[in-house]
Amino acid sequence: MLTALFAWMTSSCGKVVAKWGAIAAAVGLAYWRIRESGRAAERADRAYETTKAAANREKIHDQVSKLPDADVRDELSGWVRDDI
């Protein structure tokens, strides 16, 4: 079985199939590497945005916690409906 496969791979038809198979494998590998690189870049961008949003949230939380309760209530009254 193995000798038959080796004999076929050394024939002219087998060489063409092996050559095109190697080219297809190289193209597939290049595509896969480019795709994975793009996915890693997207994950890095998402992590950066998440970290930026967390820092902004902490900054706002610190600003609000330093305000007196009456000022916070007045600020939030614009966001609450009065029809209750």
Side-chain angles (χ1 to χ4, degrees):
M1 177 74 178
L2 190 57
T3 56
L5 180 63
F6 181 70
W8 183 78
M9 291 297 282
T10 57
S11 70
S12 62
C13 181
K15 287 179 184 178
V16 170
V17 169
K19 178 178 72 171
W20 285 107
I23 290 171
V27 168
L29 179 63
Y31 172 77
W32 181 73
R33 297 273 316 250
I34 291 169
R35 184 172 184 256
E36 289 301 313
S37 175
R39 289 179 69 191
E42 180 61 29
R43 282 192 298 266
D45 287 345
R46 192 173 299 138
Y48 172 74
E49 292 297 326
T50 302
T51 304
K52 188 174 158 184
N56 190 27
R57 182 180 62 237
E58 288 298 319
K59 184 179 113 184
I60 291 171
H61 179 71
D62 288 342
Q63 289 173 350
V64 170
S65 65
K66 291 177 184 177
L67 291 174
D69 289 342
D71 290 344
V72 173
R73 197 174 305 112
D74 290 343
E75 184 70 29
L76 294 177
S77 67
W79 293 92
V80 179
R81 295 187 308 193
D82 293 330
D83 61 349
I84 296 177

